[in-house]
Amino acid sequence: MPQASLQGRVPEMADPDPHAECRAFGQVLDRIGDKWTIMVVGALSHGPMRFNALMRLIGGVSHRMLTLTLRGLERDGLLRRTAYPTIPPKVEYELTEMGHSLIQPLEALSAWGQQNRSAIEASRREYDQG
Amino acid sequence: MPQASLQGRVPEMADPDPHAECRAFGQVLDRIGDKWTIMVVGALSHGPMRFNALMRLIGGVSHRMLTLTLRGLERDGLLRRTAYPTIPPKVEYELTEMGHSLIQPLEALSAWGQQNRSAIEASRREYDQG
DNA sequence: CCGTATCCGATAGGATACTG
DNA sequence: CAGTATCCTATCGGATACGG
């Protein structure tokens, strides 16, 4: 989903863009907000890896979804795919420069999650029984 | 989706947790990775707002989804809901302390998006025609 | 070993109509 | 104005089987 037209954006609205930031973030989410992308990025953050190694490390991901996730990242230039035409085939995946640059902001959010996890869980329990 | 069992986690794996970070991030994504949550957080980042004001500001969100999104954020303690029993009713939403604390990391990711948007688009075009 | 195609169930989310 | 309920669709993602 393109997140294209935030608000009804009619011509007579002079306001240049009341929340460009939200849109930018929406686009990042469109990229990383699926079930496996950030797992893959995380798994590759320490170096290149082969398909099945990724699959084992991440765990729980289906063959199909891992392929799709890798293709998506490759298409966006966050990932480089190198196939060695040996038998059996060997394919390595590694983050590009841009891919690596995503790790820092990701870790900021991850830290937030770790810091607030218990508070969130507590809030949920209270809300659910209250 | 609980993101619960990252990797098959068999007992004999001594490794305490090879990617706790990814899991933490996965949980954040489960919370904010939907279509509207971060729009709401962004909209509320500058102060409290009423239901229909939010709806107009965000734009494109259905009545139903805005309600669900607000409930979810409230349940997790990121949002406070205050209903004034007047006629007609008036309900205000505002971020809690914890809700505000999410904004900084969000902005980091948003900045990443703005910085890399054109590179990603270029990469996509190349990938698609190549 | 790596990748693709097909099938199918689950769910997210929009439209709409109705209540206090 | 704010919220709920119902319906319906598109998409996501898992299982499986097959090809290179």
Side-chain angles (χ1 to χ4, degrees):
Chain A
M1 87 231 32
Q3 297 284 14
S5 68
L6 240 198
Q7 33 185 304
R9 235 75 217 85
V10 278
E12 58 272 27
M13 284 195 60
D15 187 344
D17 193 341
H19 33 204
E21 273 188 12
C22 284
R23 287 241 309 294
F25 192 82
Q27 287 168 19
V28 178
L29 273 192
D30 283 347
R31 170 60 283 182
I32 65 166
D34 60 271
K35 196 171 180 182
W36 299 112
T37 291
I38 54 97
M39 299 290 176
V40 171
V41 172
L44 289 176
S45 64
H46 303 306
M49 220 176 290
R50 298 180 58 176
F51 187 90
N52 280 347
L54 270 173
M55 190 139 157
R56 277 189 302 273
L57 177 60
I58 292 175
V61 62
S62 68
H63 198 139
R64 176 177 173 271
M65 285 316 295
L66 182 53
T67 303
L68 289 179
T69 303
L70 289 166
R71 286 298 163 277
L73 285 168
E74 188 192 2
R75 183 169 105 102
D76 286 358
L78 300 180
L79 192 80
R80 193 164 24 246
R81 175 181 184 273
T82 317
Y84 302 92
T86 60
I87 297 183
K90 167 179 168 176
V91 182
E92 278 205 335
Y93 295 93
E94 62 181 327
L95 294 182
T96 61
E97 187 93 2
M98 182 160 58
H100 270 109
S101 74
L102 181 57
I103 292 180
Q104 282 279 341
L106 243 47
E107 284 183 343
L109 214 53
S110 169
W112 184 92
Q114 295 184 4
Q115 281 157 26
N116 297 92
R117 195 172 59 86
S118 63
I120 289 177
E121 284 170 0
S123 180
R124 283 183 188 175
R125 276 192 300 275
E126 190 185 351
Y127 187 96
D128 289 345
Q129 59 85 219
Chain B
M1 91 246 0
Q3 296 283 13
S5 69
L6 241 197
Q7 40 185 297
R9 240 69 221 81
V10 279
E12 59 273 24
M13 284 196 63
D15 187 344
D17 193 339
H19 33 205
E21 275 188 11
C22 285
R23 288 243 305 297
F25 193 80
Q27 289 169 17
V28 178
L29 273 191
D30 282 347
R31 170 60 282 184
I32 65 165
D34 60 89
K35 198 171 180 183
W36 299 111
T37 291
I38 53 96
M39 299 291 175
V40 171
V41 172
L44 289 177
S45 64
H46 303 307
M49 222 177 288
R50 298 180 59 174
F51 187 91
N52 279 348
L54 270 173
M55 189 140 158
R56 278 189 301 273
L57 178 60
I58 292 174
V61 61
S62 67
H63 199 139
R64 176 178 172 271
M65 285 316 295
L66 182 54
T67 302
L68 289 179
T69 302
L70 290 167
R71 287 299 164 276
L73 285 169
E74 188 191 2
R75 182 170 106 102
D76 287 358
L78 300 178
L79 192 77
R80 192 165 24 248
R81 176 181 183 275
T82 316
Y84 301 91
T86 59
I87 297 184
K90 166 177 170 177
V91 181
E92 278 205 336
Y93 295 94
E94 61 182 327
L95 295 182
T96 60
E97 187 94 0
M98 181 160 59
H100 269 109
S101 74
L102 181 57
I103 292 179
Q104 283 278 342
L106 242 48
E107 283 184 343
L109 214 54
S110 168
W112 184 91
Q114 295 183 1
Q115 280 156 28
N116 294 285
R117 196 170 60 85
S118 62
I120 289 177
E121 284 170 359
S123 180
R124 283 183 188 175
R125 276 192 300 274
E126 191 185 351
Y127 187 97
D128 289 346
Q129 59 87 219

